[in-house]
Amino acid sequence: MEKGLISVDRFTESSQAYFLTHLHTDHTQGLTSKWDRGPLFCSKLTAKLLPFKFPDFNLSLLRVVDLHIWHSFSLISPTTGSQITAHVMALDADHCPGGVMFLFRGGFGCLMYTGDFRWEADGVRAKDARSRLLDVLKNETVDILYLDNTYCNPSYDFPTREVAAQQVADIIASHPEHDIIIGIDTLGKEELLIHISRVLNIKIWVWPERLQTMHLLGFHGTFTTKTSLTRVRAVPRYSFSVETLEGLNTMRPTIGIMPSGLPWVLKPVKGDVNLFGSLLTSRYKKRQTSDKLDGNLGYADRYHQNMFSVRYSDHPCFAEIQEFIELVQPTNIKGIVSSSSCYVDPLYYFGRLCGVNQPPKRFVYKHERKEGDQKEVAASYFGNSPEAGRIKSRPVRVDHKRVNASRTSVSRRVRRGAKIVESDCSD
DNA sequence: GCGATCAGCT
DNA sequence: CACAGCTGATCGC
């Protein structure tokens, strides 16, 4: 098997160039403080944050990719041994601090890798992202869109983060005598906390490492590690459960708020099954029967006397995914979230939006292809002209029979990331 | 003893 | 189930 050329968010295998969209753990598998396998391309902010997650990282391997401009980088053709120039552009992913999408251009065609992203309709940042994207797409046709398909199902519907943040603020304001616990991760959802702080004029407690991150991000004054200064605390999501909440309530009245695009947050508690049931199987019923706070908090659900779930997400909801695809008009789409049996091939919903010369389906079935066979358009274009890689009349895999069928990756531990440019079709 | 990897859990 | 990530067991050095 030939070595890979370009890897995005995947660092467990050899490649010539490595790209990191953002610093969430499920996108850094294989990265360690001792990284020495090759240059690592990322945004300026990710480069700034990276040593905090990976102390002693060899900074000379970092290549900062500025937003919105094409950067050139070199690859060696595995077949001819000659040097090839490829180009990459980073675009704001609006996901977490430092998060970017990558657009690649070269003899392999044009590939877009969203990483994790959000694509809201409104807001200054969203509008800027949209115009930037439209601008670059004037001159490019995306052959393959590697898509954040986390919520690639019409049942995933949630508001903008601004709306969701206000819902959280409303919950807090309606519990003036309660302590508040909000579950967050090591990076992301800062704007939610900033919103709460500004609207309610209150500081937010975070744990010490998180305060360091906040300072690296340039947030000064809003956050504190002194519990005496505020009743609102942001805590690691993994440490957040009904049990801990009940424990806290033996000391002081406390409510928990879980910001999440997922419509469920709790598992059945041992010995208390009837209270929660299976939130997966009963989620639609739950949506209707769970308390809507005074009827005006929209998507906010009360799952427990002291626990609230608010649809605050850093991933695109289904409608946003659709709008993004309609904008990009890629020839083909691949989902980058493939870990679970929940994986839905984006082509199931959006195949009809792909490619301008989409062939009749019967041509697609010419030969049954296995997952490992659908190596990218990019794969065999080295040595050809860039234009060759952008011819749009190639067959497109639009295979509605394979809904939920791409499960060959279920056993993979590395859930995201891809070797997106390879020199041959073996894997 | 250490780091890398993985299972399990939330 | 799993947005992202912790803890602890195991394995190789």
Side-chain angles (χ1 to χ4, degrees):
Chain A
M1 187 181 82
E2 296 268 42
K3 292 205 303 182
L5 297 177
I6 298 174
S7 285
V8 183
D9 292 351
R10 191 163 77 172
F11 307 93
T12 51
E13 296 167 26
S14 278
S15 196
Q16 291 189 26
Y18 298 86
F19 293 81
L20 174 62
T21 61
H22 66 288
L23 277 170
H24 282 156
T25 301
D26 55 338
H27 290 257
T28 61
Q29 292 299 305
L31 262 191
T32 69
S33 290
K34 297 185 169 61
W35 174 259
D36 63 354
R37 299 176 82 136
L40 179 66
F41 296 80
C42 63
S43 71
K44 192 171 186 174
L45 185 50
T46 294
K48 182 181 181 181
L49 295 167
L50 189 136
F52 189 65
K53 190 180 180 83
F54 302 110
D56 306 321
F57 194 94
N58 181 355
L59 298 179
S60 70
L61 291 173
L62 288 184
R63 305 283 184 272
V64 170
V65 182
D66 296 308
L67 296 182
H68 309 134
I69 58 173
W70 287 107
H71 292 250
S72 299
F73 62 101
S74 292
L75 300 170
I76 304 296
S77 166
T79 47
T80 68
S82 60
Q83 187 168 300
I84 322 157
T85 299
H87 309 272
V88 64
M89 182 187 287
L91 297 160
D92 182 16
D94 203 7
H95 172 68
C96 72
V100 291
M101 317 188 220
F102 287 118
L103 194 58
F104 297 96
R105 183 162 59 86
F108 44 79
C110 182
L111 312 174
M112 184 166 198
Y113 193 99
T114 67
D116 288 348
F117 77 114
R118 178 98 202 231
W119 197 253
E120 293 172 344
D122 293 319
V124 176
R125 189 170 172 178
K127 285 187 163 65
D128 182 60
R130 163 184 273 269
S131 73
R132 296 280 192 181
L133 182 60
L134 285 172
D135 198 46
V136 67
L137 290 177
K138 281 178 194 165
N139 305 312
E140 305 293 335
T141 296
V142 173
D143 297 301
I144 304 176
L145 174 64
Y146 293 84
L147 175 75
D148 175 3
N149 57 321
T150 303
Y151 296 124
C152 192
N153 184 300
S155 67
Y156 289 124
D157 178 30
F158 38 75
T160 64
R161 286 168 293 191
E162 189 181 352
V163 169
Q166 187 55 42
Q167 291 170 355
V168 174
D170 289 343
I171 293 173
I172 296 172
S174 66
H175 293 78
E177 304 302 323
H178 283 71
D179 277 9
I180 312 291
I181 301 291
I182 303 171
I184 62 168
D185 292 310
T186 55
L187 197 61
K189 299 192 166 65
E190 292 78 14
E191 295 302 329
L192 167 63
L193 303 179
I194 296 283
H195 180 92
I196 294 165
S197 176
R198 194 183 66 241
V199 169
L200 303 178
N201 190 28
I202 194 169
K203 285 186 186 296
I204 311 284
W205 181 94
V206 291
W207 62 100
E209 293 80 4
R210 198 58 159 97
L211 183 65
Q212 281 186 269
T213 303
M214 294 301 192
H215 289 166
L216 280 175
L217 294 173
F219 298 121
H220 298 280
T222 300
F223 302 99
T224 179
T225 53
K226 294 194 175 83
T227 49
S228 62
L229 294 183
T230 178
R231 68 186 178 99
V232 179
R233 305 199 292 280
V235 304
R237 187 160 52 91
Y238 66 86
S239 73
F240 191 9
S241 69
V242 169
E243 286 88 341
T244 55
L245 208 48
E246 287 173 346
L248 287 168
N249 268 283
T250 64
M251 320 287 290
R252 303 169 55 83
T254 304
I255 60 166
I257 300 173
M258 192 59 93
S260 169
L262 287 176
W264 62 87
V265 291
L266 303 177
K267 296 184 74 169
V269 175
K270 228 178 283 181
D272 202 7
V273 175
N274 289 334
L275 181 56
F276 300 108
S278 163
L279 295 184
L280 175 65
T281 55
S282 64
R283 46 179 273 245
Y284 295 107
K285 190 174 58 187
K286 276 280 175 187
R287 280 288 290 274
Q288 285 157 17
T289 58
S290 61
D291 298 344
K292 299 289 186 193
L293 297 163
D294 301 322
N296 61 3
L297 288 180
Y299 292 79
D301 285 344
R302 186 200 291 262
Y303 278 117
H304 178 269
Q305 183 179 1
N306 303 315
M307 180 74 92
F308 297 85
S309 169
V310 177
R311 306 280 188 281
Y312 186 104
S313 173
D314 286 321
H315 296 269
C317 64
F318 185 79
E320 292 173 21
I321 293 175
Q322 175 160 346
E323 200 202 302
F324 186 78
I325 292 172
E326 284 171 349
L327 216 60
V328 175
Q329 295 179 29
T331 304
N332 202 353
I333 308 174
K334 291 169 186 292
I336 63 171
V337 183
S338 58
S339 68
S340 72
S341 54
C342 275
Y343 176 82
V344 174
D345 189 334
L347 290 176
Y348 175 61
Y349 292 113
F350 300 118
R352 64 191 162 79
L353 300 178
C354 285
V356 289
N357 294 326
Q358 190 172 307
K361 272 204 287 185
R362 63 178 178 277
F363 290 161
V364 177
Y365 300 123
K366 260 174 85 174
H367 48 90
E368 184 65 26
R369 307 173 101 188
K370 290 182 300 222
E371 171 113 333
D373 287 337
Q374 347 156 352
K375 277 312 164 198
E376 295 36 349
V377 174
S380 49
Y381 280 87
F382 283 96
N384 292 0
S385 68
E387 286 68 31
R390 291 203 281 276
I391 293 170
K392 292 197 234 173
S393 57
R394 71 184 62 83
V396 178
R397 196 178 75 99
V398 180
D399 190 341
H400 289 213
K401 285 199 300 194
R402 296 192 69 227
V403 189
N404 282 328
S406 296
R407 292 189 177 183
T408 53
S409 303
V410 166
S411 62
R412 275 173 41 190
R413 301 296 301 171
V414 179
R415 307 184 308 156
R416 302 183 189 232
K419 187 186 290 182
I420 69 170
V421 176
E422 290 187 306
S423 51
D424 70 7
C425 290
S426 63
D427 201 345

